[in-house]
Amino acid sequence: MTSGQPGTGNARPTSTGAAAESQPATTAAAGTPTQPARTSDKAPAGTTATQPPTGDGAATGTTPDGDPKADPTTSGPARDATRPGDRQDAAAMQSTTTKRNATTKRNATAEQVAAEGGTAVSASTAEGTGASKDSDLAKDSGTVDGATKDSGATKDSGATKDSGATKDSKTAKDSKAADDSDPAKGAKADGADGTDKADSEAKPAGPERWEAFASAPEPRPSIFSRAGRAVGRFLIHEWTLAALGALALAVLMTWPTLRYPRYTLPQDYWDPSLQAWQMAWSGHILLAEPARLWQSNTFFPELWSFAFSDTLLGYAPAGMLGSGPEDAVLRYNIMFVLAHALATLGAYALARQLGAGRIGAAVAGVSYTYAPWLLAQAGHLHVLSNGGIPLALAMLARGHGWSLRHGYRPERRHDGWVYAGWLVAAWQLSLGFGIGLPFAYFLAGAVLVTAVLFFARRLRTGQAVPFGRRLFAADVLGGVLFAGVGLLMAFPFFKVTELHPYAERTIGDISLFSPPASGFVTAPGESRIWGGLHEGAREALPWHPEMTLLPGFVLYALAAGGLLFSVWRLRHRLLLLAGVLVTMAFAMGTRFFDGTFTYVPLFEHLPGWSALRTPGRLMLWTTLLLGLLAAGAVTALTDRVRELTAQRIPSWPGPWLRTATLLPLLLVTVEGLNTTPHPVVPTQPAAMRSAEGPMLVLPSSQSLDQHVMLWSTSGFPDVVNGGSGFTPRQLDDVRRVSQSFPDQTSIDYLRTLGVRTVVLLRGQVTGTPWEITIDAPVESLGISRQEVGDAVVFRL
């Protein structure tokens, strides 16, 4: 069957036969063109409209007064008149079809076929509302009108619906056939069209009816859902996991520091007691009387006594929490663990910024923090608090858009990271000059070298290298802040040197603490793996706590492998190797060619360098550089394993190979295991809680006075006792004169200093002159004596 184009009024003849028997057709005069009939036009007088059959089960429309419009036929071209008894059924079927049309969104396609003369006319497809309307074809002088468009013309609905029912299709016939089939049709044609329009208006088929078949819209998340997702993304972020991993590892590697954090201290209770007092004093005095910061309550009546040793001033915010000796010990232990975590995170961040992978950066972080030589420094929190060094370098490199692996990338510059880097560097410097001073000189040298290379490249290429004013301003302001903090911190130390010239170090002092080359392969006794094996080597060292400088044999091996197989360029590997060798030479102090070309020039010409009596602590820089070499090797290994597992079919060895890349990290961690003791801190005497200052606690010595400093955190009374890197001459005089206390000479001397109370500890007098005089009568000396717990309190 060939259909004419809808709405054109033209029809092409098709072959008749079997097709004519299965489809309704009206024969028109051959070659007679059809014209579209508009709904606004009335059928001419004497013209009747008939409804062609659409198969069994077709529904017929009704006129407003209930008369039939058309009648289904049962066979062939013969048409029988509709029986009156069937009209109600036909109307019901028509109503059902209309309802089905209202539930769908499809466009019914109508076909009008003119069977007379073998000519077929195609109906236009019903569009718009989705309900197809009956199309009346009038026969005028043997001419068949075509189907009209959806602009209001009536249409045949020949498309089959989902229920299987078909639409009524009306075909115009010659006037004689129309009269034979139904004489009443011509009068009712227009009325039938009006009925369909009314039904369509009563139940429109809109696009929204398909919404039931669409997927439900995603509900808008609530504020709690959005907050939960943000927290989830934060928790699985690399830096969150790195921070949590560093903290968990610090707790495990320093255990049992947090087992009894209020009563024990790591390694010993001498220097840790001093540093616990330092944090407590800085927090207390900054809240109470900031102007008196450097005039501490110890070493009475000395001035600038807080600057007698490194101050850990950067931990002052922690010192503002809690009071008393137990809180001071708890604070120290917490900061001890956090210092390890920060060092691991800082070295990890630096390695990542320079271009190392995650596992390689983890190796750098762990090896930097838990190197065996640092186990001997467990009692020196100011040495262990070094995490600000790699963290500040990582931030500064990130802000300047530079990495070791990718070079300078101007598009990655960010002045915010530069400010953050200088702030962290200033904070690191505030913890003490023992570690901070070499860091300050390193930053100064790095700035100078970078500026020279920047301008040299500009002169060589003739092109301005992108830098930016904002970045320049950040460096200037950050550098000024860093320098300002350094000068403010240095001023009290210069005052101490002015008041106590004998406090300065000499080359002879440096020689006592300079380690030999064998120290680089000797582990301290606190190393669980190598401590027992290296006992004989330690015996050969003059002062082994500062001369056992083994960074780890695993680290040595990984760094050596990094010279041959690494993600770093060859020139960068050579520069890192040169840095390792240079820092080792400086760490040897006067043991490397008497320090003539290394340590001695720094000691004599760099301001403040003469205060550094332990050259071996420069091993910190050696360890960091070795860690970066190792990170390059491990990163190259993990990259190669990733390539192999991606290419291998089947990939079953893949998980095992990826797991094997964790072996370097595991070995570095195991080599950092320790046997650090955690002794119980001596209990504060009851007399210290009630005695008035200024006071002197006897016996007095460098080690015992550090306990007194810790006990003085209950109210911070002025005490003559004190322990630091050097002993003031006045305190030496007090210790010498008080050997005969209580006698008139010692009492008069102490009164001259302003001392009001003397506390004599019974538990410490064994083997001292006070073992005999502690119970001597004092009524003739004009002082009072009182037993308070395990101490005797003398009030002058």
Side-chain angles (χ1 to χ4, degrees):
M1 179 181 67
T2 304
S3 303
Q5 297 298 322
T8 60
N10 299 324
R12 290 189 292 272
T14 66
S15 59
T16 60
E21 294 177 2
S22 62
Q23 296 189 35
T26 303
T27 305
T32 305
T34 62
Q35 299 295 331
R38 301 183 181 275
T39 57
S40 59
D41 298 335
K42 300 293 183 180
T47 304
T48 61
T50 62
Q51 193 173 37
T54 57
D56 296 338
T60 60
T62 57
T63 59
D65 57 359
D67 293 337
K69 288 192 302 182
D71 180 38
T73 59
T74 57
S75 64
R79 304 293 192 266
D80 296 331
T82 303
R83 293 185 302 272
D86 296 335
R87 293 180 180 177
Q88 293 181 354
D89 295 338
M93 294 177 65
Q94 176 64 26
S95 176
T96 302
T97 304
T98 304
K99 290 181 180 179
R100 287 172 180 160
N101 289 340
T103 61
T104 64
K105 211 175 162 186
R106 292 183 185 173
N107 295 328
T109 309
E111 287 190 1
Q112 294 177 342
V113 181
E116 276 189 41
T119 304
V121 181
S122 174
S124 64
T125 302
E127 297 175 7
T129 64
S132 55
K133 301 180 180 180
D134 293 329
S135 177
D136 297 331
L137 298 179
K139 187 184 89 167
D140 185 9
S141 304
T143 303
V144 180
D145 291 337
T148 61
K149 284 300 210 175
D150 57 352
S151 59
T154 57
K155 302 178 182 169
D156 287 297
S157 177
T160 303
K161 288 307 200 178
D162 294 341
S163 62
T166 58
K167 285 281 184 182
D168 292 339
S169 176
K170 295 187 178 181
T171 308
K173 305 184 103 165
D174 55 55
S175 59
K176 182 177 180 179
D179 290 341
D180 292 340
S181 63
D182 193 348
K185 276 190 177 238
K188 303 296 181 183
D190 289 340
D193 184 58
T195 302
D196 285 342
K197 288 182 179 180
D199 291 342
S200 178
E201 292 175 359
K203 296 182 180 180
E208 67 277 2
R209 288 170 182 161
W210 280 103
E211 291 181 359
F213 298 93
S215 58
E218 183 178 354
R220 179 179 177 82
S222 65
I223 186 173
F224 299 104
S225 300
R226 295 196 298 271
R229 292 177 184 177
V231 171
R233 288 192 297 269
F234 172 78
L235 291 177
I236 63 174
H237 196 276
E238 176 188 353
W239 295 110
T240 304
L241 296 177
L244 294 176
L247 182 59
L249 184 64
V251 173
L252 294 175
M253 296 293 285
T254 60
W255 191 260
T257 298
L258 295 183
R259 185 177 183 181
Y260 304 108
R262 300 174 68 90
Y263 309 106
T264 63
L265 286 171
Q267 195 173 48
D268 58 59
Y269 43 58
W270 295 303
D271 282 354
S273 295
L274 163 65
Q275 293 168 337
W277 166 82
Q278 288 174 330
M279 285 188 283
W281 166 256
S282 60
H284 160 76
I285 202 63
L286 287 178
L287 289 176
E289 193 178 354
R292 197 190 155 196
L293 172 64
W294 298 102
Q295 318 301 330
S296 75
N297 71 311
T298 59
F299 294 99
F300 178 85
E302 294 286 354
L303 301 176
W304 307 100
S305 55
F306 194 49
F308 284 0
S309 58
D310 278 339
T311 61
L312 294 175
L313 186 59
Y315 289 150
M320 298 177 182
L321 305 175
S323 63
E326 289 187 359
D327 287 345
V329 172
L330 173 63
R331 184 186 305 113
Y332 179 91
N333 285 323
I334 291 175
M335 301 313 298
F336 179 81
V337 174
L338 292 179
H340 285 81
L342 181 62
T344 304
L345 181 63
Y348 176 88
L350 178 60
R352 287 289 283 155
Q353 172 59 33
L354 295 181
R358 292 182 178 88
I359 299 178
V363 169
V366 173
S367 64
Y368 175 74
T369 308
Y370 303 103
W373 76 273
L374 280 169
L375 299 178
Q377 305 292 332
H380 301 144
L381 184 58
H382 62 294
V383 177
L384 300 177
S385 299
N386 52 56
I389 294 176
L391 184 60
L393 294 177
M395 289 179 171
L396 290 173
R398 172 67 179 87
H400 289 84
W402 184 84
S403 71
L404 199 64
R405 192 173 183 179
H406 306 290
Y408 178 54
R409 292 178 288 182
E411 69 279 2
R412 296 180 64 86
R413 294 170 295 170
H414 196 292
D415 58 310
W417 284 111
V418 175
Y419 284 114
W422 285 112
L423 284 173
V424 173
W427 173 80
Q428 176 66 53
L429 187 62
S430 71
L431 294 176
F433 285 112
I435 298 299
L437 189 64
F439 177 48
Y441 281 116
F442 174 82
L443 283 179
V447 170
L448 180 62
V449 171
T450 301
V452 170
L453 293 177
F454 183 85
F455 287 106
R457 180 178 177 182
R458 184 173 183 177
L459 292 175
R460 186 178 69 253
T461 61
Q463 298 178 352
V465 181
F467 195 80
R469 296 181 179 179
R470 294 180 59 181
L471 201 62
F472 180 76
D475 280 324
V476 170
L477 294 176
V480 168
L481 172 66
F482 179 80
V485 170
L487 291 175
L488 290 176
M489 291 285 297
F491 179 77
F493 290 93
F494 285 125
K495 295 295 293 184
V496 169
T497 304
E498 181 182 339
L499 294 173
H500 307 278
Y502 52 87
E504 288 192 77
R505 312 298 180 185
T506 64
I507 290 295
D509 296 329
I510 303 302
S511 299
L512 292 176
F513 295 97
S514 295
S518 61
F520 296 119
V521 291
T522 305
E526 293 82 359
S527 173
R528 183 176 295 274
I529 305 299
W530 307 114
L533 298 175
H534 292 182
E535 185 176 359
R538 287 194 302 273
E539 293 293 335
L541 298 175
W543 183 248
H544 66 81
E546 296 290 349
M547 296 181 180
T548 50
L549 302 180
L550 175 67
F553 291 113
V554 174
L555 184 60
Y556 276 143
L558 292 174
L563 294 174
L564 305 175
F565 179 69
S566 177
V567 294
W568 312 133
R569 294 182 178 89
L570 178 60
R571 66 175 183 273
H572 293 152
R573 285 178 258 169
L574 295 177
L575 286 175
L576 290 173
L577 176 61
V580 168
L581 297 178
V582 169
T583 53
M584 279 185 167
F586 279 100
M588 293 178 67
T590 58
R591 293 296 185 103
F592 185 80
F593 295 101
D594 295 330
T596 305
F597 307 104
T598 55
Y599 203 88
V600 172
L602 301 181
F603 182 87
E604 292 177 346
H605 300 291
L606 288 185
W609 201 274
S610 58
L612 307 181
R613 64 172 182 171
T614 51
R617 293 175 183 175
L618 292 176
M619 192 65 186
L620 187 73
W621 294 90
T622 306
T623 307
L624 181 60
L625 296 174
L626 288 172
L628 293 178
L629 276 172
V634 175
T635 301
L637 174 64
T638 55
D639 289 348
R640 182 58 178 160
V641 166
R642 191 179 299 111
E643 293 174 1
L644 291 175
T645 55
Q647 298 172 1
R648 190 176 181 87
I649 300 176
S651 60
W652 67 266
W656 295 102
L657 291 175
R658 287 191 292 270
T659 304
T661 60
L662 297 175
L663 184 60
L665 177 60
L666 178 62
L667 293 177
V668 169
T669 305
V670 169
E671 198 170 18
L673 295 176
N674 66 86
T675 59
T676 302
H678 288 74
V680 178
V681 181
T683 305
Q684 180 191 33
M688 290 287 296
R689 293 192 289 268
S690 59
E692 296 180 0
M695 73 173 69
L696 170 65
V697 180
L698 296 176
S700 175
S701 64
Q702 171 73 13
S703 58
L704 293 176
D705 281 3
Q706 291 174 334
H707 296 154
V708 175
M709 298 173 79
L710 176 61
W711 295 335
S712 71
T713 55
S714 294
F716 293 97
D718 289 334
V719 294
V720 179
N721 306 74
S724 68
F726 79 101
T727 303
R729 287 180 178 173
Q730 181 173 276
L731 181 55
D732 272 339
D733 292 340
V734 169
R735 289 171 179 170
R736 178 176 49 82
V737 172
S738 63
Q739 292 286 326
S740 59
F741 183 87
D743 66 346
Q744 196 63 48
T745 302
S746 60
I747 292 173
D748 292 341
Y749 180 76
L750 294 176
R751 283 174 175 170
T752 302
L753 294 179
V755 177
R756 296 181 181 179
T757 306
V758 175
V759 178
L760 187 56
L761 304 177
R762 285 186 177 274
Q764 303 292 336
V765 298
T766 303
T768 67
W770 298 289
E771 187 176 6
I772 300 174
T773 61
I774 190 172
D775 294 320
V778 295
E779 288 78 4
S780 60
L781 299 175
I783 62 176
S784 63
R785 179 178 180 277
Q786 181 184 5
E787 296 280 347
V788 180
D790 193 28
V792 180
V793 178
F794 299 89
R795 289 181 174 85
L796 309 185

